[in-house]
Amino acid sequence: MSVNDLNKIAEYIVSNGKGILAADESTGTIKKRFDSIDIESTEQSRRTYREMLFQADGMKDNIGGVILFEETLKQNAENGTSLVQVISNQGALPGIKVDKGLTPISEGSKETITNGLDDLDQRCKEYYQIGAKFTKWRAVINIGNGIPTDDCIDENMLRLANYAKIVQANKMVPIVEPEVLMDGSHSIDECYDATSRVLKSLFKHLKDMNVDIKGTILKPNMVISGASCPNQAEIQEVAEKTVRCLLENVPKELPGIAFLSGGQSDINATAHLDAMNKIGEFSWKLSFSYGRALQQAALKVWMGKKENIASAQSAFSHRALMNKKAALGNWNKDIEN
Ligand code: 13P
């Protein structure tokens, strides 16, 4: 596959306002989500839930890619069709989370590094055979007293670049996700500084490793106030500071930026994206790669009951459409109801 093909995959995922459904919760994380509606997390219940989302009408035209956990990549729908095929039938590309979680950077540290490079090349070969077109690796950066340190940023971004290189050699598009967490009482400006340091380091390492930027998607956090900051920045300030930070640090040839929602409410995640796209047109597409902000409403309607599936699908389809409109800068509050 040529570099051109990787570029085509990346461009397709974020074309015409399309975004990404992040459905790659690890077994531990999906259990937490299911606990919130009192549903036992089993291979069967996870399959039923995810199949419900992938079969929803709102996948079509709104979702260009779905990030899966390894278990889901290998699962079949109830009628025997593979879930990879169900996703493809909806016009979306299947992708896979390939990182293997976090460990502290040193004993007792709040800072973490992401694992999973050791057998990545081998795993990529298998994922490609099953049909994955893209992958995701998440690095996590905390803001707090004296952190993030340069060492933590540097090590995490180096690993992201190594990951991206291996994935492209295996003919898939890497989504690079350096997430500066919302947790904490920091101000929006502290988030700006941390995000800016992270992005500078990331693109330096990607360049040093000769990663093809045209065949890469960035999945960043928005520049936003810490969740427990007493002075929460307004929608417009988040949009302006996020766009400025990206313009300063992200190369023009990158095809797409697809934000994570990171614990924002559904409406805020949509409103922020819309406000950014109303600022103007950029060299890259600004879109979404939401987990919670696309799924929360559907999960609450579903409650694990068969008779709720159609309404849960409507709830998901609505959020998918609202975020597509936001990716085009065509959303407003009145179209929510
Ligand atoms: P959230 O949108 O829920 O943050 O999830 C996106 C994701 O994939 C985090 O890695």
Side-chain angles (χ1 to χ4, degrees), residues 22 24 136 138 177 179 219 260-262 289-292:
D24 59 325
K136 184 193 97 170
R138 174 173 174 257
E177 180 181 11
E179 176 173 6
K219 173 164 175 163
L260 59 96
S261 60
S289 175
Y290 294 160
R292 283 162 284 181

Side-chain angles (χ1 to χ4, degrees), residues 68-313:
L68 304 170
F69 192 59
E70 186 173 335
E71 174 185 274
T72 321
L73 187 80
K74 297 175 177 175
Q75 267 175 331
N76 290 337
E78 204 172 355
N79 69 7
T81 318
S82 71
L83 289 179
V84 163
Q85 189 60 48
V86 170
I87 290 166
S88 306
N89 292 347
Q90 294 279 35
L93 302 178
I96 172 141
K97 181 226 297 287
V98 300
D99 65 76
K100 288 191 158 172
L102 312 171
T103 46
I105 195 162
S106 57
E107 221 184 293
S109 173
K110 209 184 156 196
E111 299 199 290
T112 56
I113 44 169
T114 306
N115 301 303
L117 281 176
D118 290 349
D119 57 349
L120 180 60
D121 185 57
Q122 218 178 309
R123 288 188 289 128
C124 279
K125 289 184 171 40
E126 185 196 356
Y127 301 149
Y128 179 77
Q129 286 304 326
I130 303 176
K133 302 286 184 219
F134 69 96
T135 65
K136 184 193 97 170
W137 176 289
R138 174 173 174 257
V140 175
I141 304 293
N142 275 284
I143 300 179
N145 208 354
I147 60 171
T149 60
D150 287 339
D151 283 354
C152 171
I153 292 177
D154 193 58
E155 180 61 27
N156 272 296
M157 299 310 118
L158 176 63
R159 286 176 182 222
L160 266 170
N162 272 299
Y163 140 81
K165 190 75 194 164
I166 294 169
V167 167
Q168 287 190 339
N170 282 289
K171 304 178 236 171
M172 295 179 286
V173 166
I175 295 187
V176 288
E177 180 181 11
E179 176 173 6
V180 176
L181 290 181
M182 275 173 72
D183 302 4
S185 57
H186 53 270
S187 66
I188 185 170
D189 291 327
E190 287 171 281
C191 178
Y192 190 106
D193 284 349
T195 305
S196 185
R197 285 166 63 202
V198 162
L199 293 177
K200 272 190 181 65
S201 171
L202 173 63
F203 285 101
K204 179 194 170 295
H205 282 298
L206 290 174
K207 193 165 173 232
D208 289 352
M209 296 282 302
N210 276 321
V211 170
D212 192 319
I213 298 297
K214 286 188 177 155
T216 303
I217 291 177
L218 173 67
K219 173 164 175 163
N221 53 284
M222 295 181 191
V223 173
I224 197 166
S225 317
S228 47
C229 174
N231 269 329
Q232 288 291 312
E234 299 289 334
I235 303 286
Q236 194 57 26
E237 186 179 0
V238 171
E240 283 170 13
K241 290 189 169 167
T242 304
V243 163
R244 199 192 322 147
C245 191
L246 294 170
L247 286 171
E248 279 171 10
N249 293 300
V250 180
K252 283 198 165 61
E253 65 266 31
L254 186 89
I257 297 176
F259 293 101
L260 59 96
S261 60
Q264 297 181 45
S265 70
D266 297 359
I267 298 288
N268 275 356
T270 305
H272 287 142
L273 180 62
D274 178 67
M276 284 183 230
N277 281 303
K278 282 192 164 78
I279 291 174
E281 284 216 25
F282 308 100
S283 50
W284 6 258
K285 290 276 182 355
L286 282 184
S287 186
F288 57 93
S289 175
Y290 294 160
R292 283 162 284 181
L294 272 172
Q295 295 184 44
Q296 233 150 216
L299 186 73
K300 293 271 153 9
V301 173
W302 176 53
M303 298 298 287
K305 296 200 170 84
K306 210 172 182 170
E307 62 269 28
N308 294 340
I309 283 183
S311 331
Q313 286 177 320

Side-chain angles (χ1 to χ4, degrees), residues 58 62 313-323 335-337:
N62 304 326
Q313 286 177 320
S314 300
F316 167 70
S317 294
H318 177 67
R319 289 266 45 89
L321 177 63
M322 292 298 102
N323 285 307
I335 61 170
E336 277 292 336
N337 302 311

Side-chain angles (χ1 to χ4, degrees), residues 47-68:
R47 195 277 304 273
T48 302
Y49 171 66
R50 286 166 169 153
E51 180 180 352
M52 170 181 88
L53 299 177
F54 306 159
Q55 301 272 20
D57 289 345
M59 284 281 295
K60 277 224 166 72
D61 299 328
N62 304 326
I63 302 295
V66 182
I67 318 174
L68 304 170

